[in-house]
Amino acid sequence: MRRPDMFKLLHLSDLHLTPPGVALHGLRPDMQLECCVSDILVDHADADLCVVTGDLTHDGLPLAYHEVRRQLMRLPMPVHVMIGNHDDRTAFRSVFPEACAADGFVHQVIDTDAGRMVLLDTHEPGSAGGRLCEVRLAWLRARLAESGSDPVYLFTHHPPVRVGLQRMDAICLRDAEALMAALLPFRERIRHLFFGHLHRAVSGTRRGLPFSGVRGTSHQIALDFTTPHVAPVSFETPGYGVVFIDTDSIVVHHAEIKPQR
Ligand SMILES: [Fe+2]
C-alpha cells in the first residue's frame, strides 16, 4: 500500500507497435504491450498518471496507432502519449488528436498534485536524432515561466545527455545545450527529466538535474559501448518505470514485463 501523500507515475516508452500480428525483430510488440497493460492492471492500477515517451509505433502506420490506443484505453488512470523518431506526426494526429497542440507539435502540460508535467516534442521528421526548434523552445520557456512555484517534471523522447552507447549518442537530442539553457533558470523547481529512446534503464544527472530513462516495452538496445554505427538489438526483458514522488524524494523503480499472467 502506498502512502496517501505519494504520487505514483508510470513511465512507459518505445512500444514500437507494428500492425497487430506483425513481428519485429522476431518479437510481437502488440503482445508485449498487452502483457504490459495486464501487469499494470494487476500491480499498478492505483497509479495517478501514465506517460508514454514516444516511439509508439515502429513505422508510423495508422493501424499500429489504433492498436496502441485500444491497448492503452484499458488502463484506468489518465494516460498521455508522446511521439518519437519512429512515429509519424500525421498518422499520430489522426488517432490521438487530443495530444496535439494548436501549433502542430505534440507537446502539452499536465498539472497534477505532484506539480507540472511538461511533455516536450523532440521529433524531427527524417531524422533519428531529436531537435528543438525555436518554436518549441519558446513554448517550453513560456510553460516554465507561467508555472509559478510549482515543481516541474520534464518528459522527452530523446535523451538530453550522452550515455556512452555510441550509436544512441549519435542520435540523442541534438539541441540538448539549448534545452539546458532553457531549464537552468528554473533549476530549483525542475525535479526530474524522464526520457525514452535508449530502450534501456539508465539514470544520472546533468548539470545537477536528475534524469532517468526506461526500457522499451518492445525490444531492448544492448549495453554495448564499442559498436559505433548500429544500435544492437537485444532481447533482454522488456519493462517500464514505476515512479514514486513526494515532496522529499523521487524514486524510480524498473518493473519487468511478465510474458503472461
Ligand atoms: Fe525506440
Side-chain angles (χ1 to χ4, degrees), residues 49-53 78-82 99 108-110 119:
L49 179 70
C50 175
V51 177
V52 189
T53 51
V79 179
H80 294 271
V81 291
M82 303 169 62
Q108 60 175 317
V109 295
I110 308 157
L119 281 52

Side-chain angles (χ1 to χ4, degrees), residues 61-137:
L61 298 176
L63 268 179
Y65 285 111
H66 282 292
E67 179 63 9
V68 171
R69 186 169 190 114
R70 188 185 74 80
Q71 290 281 354
L72 295 179
M73 280 182 65
R74 297 169 57 207
L75 294 173
M77 74 288 298
V79 179
H80 294 271
V81 291
M82 303 169 62
I83 59 172
N85 49 294
H86 279 270
D87 287 306
D88 178 90
R89 220 179 241 114
T90 302
F92 172 84
R93 188 182 301 123
S94 71
V95 179
F96 292 99
E98 73 280 6
C100 299
D103 62 12
F105 290 111
V106 184
H107 51 199
Q108 60 175 317
V109 295
I110 308 157
D111 288 315
T112 73
D113 291 343
R116 170 162 278 199
M117 311 285 167
V118 179
L119 281 52
L120 189 58
D121 182 341
T122 58
H123 174 48
E124 187 74 7
S127 168
R131 299 303 305 258
L132 284 173
C133 56
E134 187 47 44
V135 172
R136 284 174 276 188
L137 286 166

Side-chain angles (χ1 to χ4, degrees), residues 14 16 55 86 157 197 199:
D14 294 277
H16 281 259
D55 279 0
H86 279 270
H157 177 71
H197 193 52
H199 295 234

Side-chain angles (χ1 to χ4, degrees), residues 162-196:
R162 292 196 175 95
V163 298
L165 303 167
Q166 292 190 46
R167 170 57 185 162
M168 300 312 289
D169 284 351
I171 57 171
C172 68
L173 179 60
R174 290 171 58 187
D175 300 307
E177 284 298 331
L179 175 63
M180 286 294 140
L183 295 179
L184 288 177
F186 304 92
R187 64 187 309 160
E188 298 302 320
R189 291 194 289 116
I190 297 173
R191 297 195 67 196
H192 202 87
L193 314 178
F194 296 93
F195 53 74

